Amino acid sequence: MKMLINVAETVVADALRGMAAAHPELAVDVENRVITRADAPVAGKVALVSGGGSGHEPLHGGFVGPGMLSAACPGEVFTSPVPDQMVRAAAAVDSGAGVLFVVKNYTGDVLNFDMAAELAEDEGIQVAKVLVNDDVAVTDSLYTAGRRGTGATLFVEKLAGAAAEEGMPLERVEAIARQVNENARSFGVALSACSTPAKGSPTFDLPAGELELGVGIHGEPGRERRAMMTSREIADYAVDVILQDLDPHDPVLVLVNGMGATPLLELYGFNAEVQRVLGERGVPVARTLVGNYVTSLDMAGASVTLCRVDEELLRLWDAPVRTAGLRWGM
């Protein structure tokens, strides 16, 4: 596989150096692998800290900024960051109002964020944690006990981030983050495997003419493999699986997310089919976001995330945000 890198060993550090050069509004500590808002800590504001393995960009570093995260901790590719990174990030952004850790449900992330929370509290930082586990494809996977954390992470970080930006206290910001996670479900489909820089070749075998239904963002197996389907058929399958687990009595936010190698031409076409299915099922759509947000390196494919919203959550979604990966209203 051809990759636009120097060597696999420096790919994360090189990316962080490039991010620092492109975004002076961020403070990027390349050596310690911590990305923070340059204006952090913000007096009186709850800080949001998240992180995870690299390779899912713009998640999480691309979501640092006003209206979303205060800091992000990038690990090596598909590898959890370490507790020292998280503690350093929490200390850098804590204003005394407390810190909310947003944790995707992968075993390494959960263990390391738990340890970091204990260490941060030993340093006098008030910490709350929210676990994101929105993927309805499988219950357990190679990296996870329980459901995986995927596209709903964006919704949690945006909505809780807006709440924090408004000056809500830690308990309320945490409650909103939990509400969002409980109201969100995701399902992903892979058309091709991804290739990590270290391996330099596909991480799993997906024969030509087949797709993986319910794939994870690290290439974990899903529910089943089938012969290639049309966009219409994939949308029918994915949305139906989500709606079997989510009773949308309220309007929903829709995220049609690319896995990294699927062009917008295809994603918008897929979104048309997702919207068709939701219309046929009588599900009202409040807002829609289409693009590559929670990716898996160069995997071709897409995921769908639906999140029920009430008036408050919709207001928080529409609130201004200014990050490298998501911005409006500013």
Side-chain angles (χ1 to χ4, degrees):
M1 300 294 292
K2 297 177 181 178
M3 295 184 179
L4 193 63
I5 64 173
N6 293 316
V7 293
E9 292 76 14
T10 66
V11 66
V12 175
D14 291 344
L16 290 175
R17 289 191 297 107
M19 189 175 200
H23 297 286
E25 71 276 14
L26 300 176
V28 182
D29 185 338
V30 177
E31 180 180 356
N32 294 300
R33 306 289 174 90
V34 174
I35 304 165
T36 63
R37 290 175 52 162
D39 61 352
V42 179
K45 177 185 174 300
V46 169
L48 268 68
V49 175
S50 192
S54 295
H56 305 302
E57 290 75 20
L59 189 82
H60 294 272
F63 297 149
V64 174
M68 286 191 81
L69 295 176
S70 305
C73 308
E76 292 297 329
V77 173
F78 291 178
T79 302
S80 171
V82 298
D84 285 353
Q85 288 174 264
M86 303 160 189
V87 175
R88 190 181 297 271
V93 299
D94 178 40
S95 69
V99 175
L100 178 67
F101 282 166
V102 179
V103 188
K104 300 191 306 302
N105 189 31
Y106 295 95
T107 303
D109 290 10
V110 172
L111 292 174
N112 286 341
F113 269 102
D114 283 348
M115 186 179 299
E118 294 178 6
L119 294 171
E121 287 169 348
D122 288 343
E123 295 185 9
I125 301 171
Q126 184 182 6
V127 176
K129 294 173 293 182
V130 170
L131 189 68
V132 182
N133 56 354
D134 56 303
D135 184 8
V136 299
V138 295
T139 301
D140 297 301
S141 73
L142 300 177
Y143 297 85
T144 312
R147 290 179 168 177
R148 302 174 292 210
T150 57
T153 312
L154 181 151
F155 289 148
V156 171
E157 293 177 355
K158 172 63 180 79
L159 296 166
E165 205 70 41
E166 290 185 357
M168 294 187 191
L170 180 60
E171 295 78 9
R172 182 60 186 147
V173 175
E174 178 188 3
I176 287 172
R178 292 187 185 281
Q179 178 187 358
V180 173
N181 180 63
E182 290 167 1
N183 286 355
R185 301 290 188 275
S186 297
F187 190 87
V189 179
L191 309 183
S192 73
C194 59
S195 302
T196 63
K199 191 171 188 290
S201 60
T203 55
F204 62 94
D205 178 43
L206 186 56
E210 294 186 5
L211 53 72
E212 182 88 27
L213 293 167
V215 71
I217 58 173
H218 306 97
E220 308 99 315
R223 291 187 169 194
E224 62 176 308
R225 289 187 178 179
R226 287 191 182 182
M228 186 60 193
M229 301 158 64
T230 65
S231 177
R232 181 184 185 91
E233 291 168 338
I234 295 170
D236 283 329
Y237 187 101
V239 175
D240 280 346
V241 169
I242 291 172
L243 294 182
Q244 289 170 16
D245 202 85
L246 182 73
D247 179 19
H249 50 271
D250 295 315
V252 296
L253 301 176
V254 178
L255 171 62
V256 171
N257 171 69
M259 294 294 199
T262 302
L264 280 171
L265 180 71
E266 295 177 31
L267 291 177
Y268 277 117
F270 183 52
N271 178 57
E273 298 299 341
V274 169
Q275 302 287 333
R276 172 189 57 78
V277 180
L278 292 172
E280 291 173 354
R281 304 298 187 274
V283 179
V285 175
R287 302 287 187 274
T288 301
L289 184 65
V290 179
N292 290 284
Y293 295 102
V294 183
T295 62
S296 183
L297 292 169
D298 60 343
M299 182 186 290
S303 63
V304 178
T305 303
L306 304 181
C307 179
R308 295 194 310 255
V309 288
D310 56 20
E311 289 185 4
E312 181 184 35
L313 292 182
L314 188 57
R315 178 182 62 78
L316 293 173
W317 178 255
D318 289 338
V321 59
R322 189 170 75 248
T323 70
L326 198 68
R327 60 176 60 207
W328 55 71
M330 286 187 172

